Amino acid sequence: MPVLSEQVEFRMAHHTHTSGSRDIQMARSMCWHCQSEMSGEYFCERCVKVQPVSKETDYFTCFGLPRRLTIDQSKLEAKFYELSRAFHPDFYQNKSEAEQTISLGNAATLNTAYRTLRDPIQRAEYLLDLEAGSVKEIRTSPPSDLFEEILELQETMEAYRASDRASQAGHELRAQLIAEQEALERRKRDMEQQLQRLFTDWDTLQDRGDAGAQARAERDRLLKHMRDILSNRTYVKNIVNDLVATIG
Amino acid sequence: MAYSDKVVDHFNNPRNMGSFKKDEEGIGTGMVGAPECGDVMKLQIKVQNDTIVDAKFKTFGCGSAIASSSLATEWLKGKTIEEAQQIKNTDIVQELNLPPVKIHCSVLAEDAIKAALADYQKKVGDKTEAAT
């Protein structure tokens, strides 16, 4: 992303942050119904018809929130309920088919948006994709130690599944798996705490809106670090789920 | 979603599951993961005179990931390094009839093959370097 557009984006995000959710500056075109220039948020101010959420509108903008990793949860919730009411099918029963379709589509988009933003990890994955492209594009070096551990653990689980649960060996394997599960869950929590700190660093950097070389390098460093931890967390989460299912 | 018969077959009777000692001569190890789904794949080749004489894998993941890596080891055996480089994820997709949502499993298998070959070549390179 060129530096200039980054700056512009920053100002926009900042603007929405300071001016409240009511007057978001969205790149809108025309009202589908009366063709007047759109100035309202989800409804045309002239003909009052409901407007579809544009595909380019990111989830943060949908709720009038700044594009940050730490967000005001209560504000997100309040806005979500407000919009859920606004697009509720009950209010569109006597409206045209176009309006029914649009309101239904908006409700679906906002549901997905809300679920994504509500969860700090999903929110981070979503925002990092927005800011820096898909996860796949930044190849992180695979954590081979963690992988070896996962594959080894899988073998222990296999042995446990094949064992006579009531036997001494079965008991020992079970105890081993329980200990592994606890250790991995601790590790997952550590990762989440570490992420929390990185989220704060990232937001602080974004708030500064500095486009200098040093800030860019810092941005890249944070991005890679967050990506690494996010993917390691996914691996750990998966093996923990498997452990839970195996131990029962 | 139903798995194809071939996937089920590889899943129930995985070929060449296991591992070689990493440091043994002629062994190349590929260790890859998919951060999106959390699958982990380890694929190893045993090379003699530029030909892959044996291959083994261990995979933590869904049925398609296991089938993809199992199939990959089957295909690798008997191939030269150069022939092995030609294996594409699309070949795996075709052979196993993978649905679109499972294509990333075949990509992971291709990545694992590439990583194992690269690791072997690096090991050979390091040795030649040390000898000269």
Side-chain angles (χ1 to χ4, degrees), chain B residues 19-20 33 45 47-48 52 78 84-86 94 111 115 117 124 128 131:
Chain B
S19 59
F20 300 117
I45 50 168
V47 185
Q48 274 166 12
I52 298 167
Q85 301 273 20
Q86 307 304 317
Q94 216 166 22
D111 286 351
L117 292 168
V124 174
T128 334

Side-chain angles (χ1 to χ4, degrees), chain B residues 25-57:
Chain B
E25 187 154 344
I27 301 294
T29 304
M31 187 83 100
V32 294
E36 312 93 82
C37 60
D39 285 2
V40 174
M41 207 178 267
K42 177 179 172 181
L43 193 147
Q44 292 182 298
I45 50 168
K46 187 177 199 168
V47 185
Q48 274 166 12
N49 304 323
D50 217 38
T51 301
I52 298 167
V53 293
D54 204 357
K56 287 202 184 298
F57 84 95

Side-chain angles (χ1 to χ4, degrees), chain A residues 44-196:
Chain A
C44 172
E45 285 191 341
R46 215 177 118 212
C47 69
V48 215
K49 296 277 187 229
V50 63
Q51 302 295 316
V53 183
S54 148
K55 284 208 167 56
E56 283 96 66
T57 309
D58 70 71
Y59 293 166
F60 292 88
T61 310
C62 282
F63 296 109
L65 292 166
R67 272 162 73 151
R68 293 292 180 272
L69 291 166
T70 306
I71 59 168
D72 183 341
Q73 293 275 5
S74 59
K75 206 173 150 191
L76 169 69
E77 207 168 287
K79 189 74 188 166
F80 174 65
Y81 290 137
E82 180 197 321
L83 293 170
S84 296
R85 274 194 303 276
F87 299 125
H88 199 281
D90 284 1
F91 302 126
Y92 293 85
Q93 272 175 9
N94 303 321
K95 300 266 167 81
S96 70
E97 208 174 301
E99 285 165 277
Q100 286 183 8
T101 311
I102 291 168
S103 61
L104 215 61
N106 284 0
T109 306
L110 288 166
N111 261 313
T112 313
Y114 176 64
R115 275 201 307 272
T116 306
L117 294 193
R118 191 178 49 177
D119 176 67
I121 300 291
Q122 280 190 51
R123 181 168 69 233
E125 282 168 346
Y126 176 74
L127 183 66
L128 298 189
D129 275 2
L130 279 183
E131 296 286 351
S134 163
V135 184
K136 285 173 221 157
E137 279 160 40
I138 297 182
R139 271 273 179 221
T140 57
S141 49
S144 28
D145 290 352
L146 179 63
F147 285 6
E148 288 284 8
E149 237 180 288
I150 288 172
L151 294 172
E152 221 169 276
L153 205 54
Q154 205 203 356
E155 272 165 34
T156 317
M157 279 193 272
E158 209 59 64
Y160 174 67
R161 286 193 201 103
S163 74
D164 173 6
R165 309 281 161 101
S167 71
Q168 178 70 23
H171 282 303
E172 276 167 19
L173 283 169
R174 188 183 168 81
Q176 192 189 337
L177 290 177
I178 290 172
E180 292 278 10
Q181 185 195 331
E182 280 165 5
L184 284 167
E185 273 169 354
R186 261 199 308 278
R187 235 156 99 183
K188 191 166 143 261
R189 276 197 300 276
D190 286 347
M191 285 179 187
E192 281 157 8
Q193 277 170 11
Q194 216 181 336
L195 277 172
Q196 208 53 59

Side-chain angles (χ1 to χ4, degrees), chain A residues 215-244:
Chain A
R216 276 211 307 278
E218 173 66 1
R219 183 188 142 97
D220 288 347
R221 188 191 68 81
L222 284 171
L223 203 59
K224 186 174 179 317
H225 202 170
M226 286 190 282
R227 282 263 156 85
D228 280 344
I229 302 177
L230 281 169
S231 52
N232 289 1
R233 184 188 164 277
T234 312
Y235 297 125
V236 171
K237 194 181 96 192
N238 270 19
I239 191 83
V240 166
N241 286 348
D242 220 36
L243 272 166
V244 170

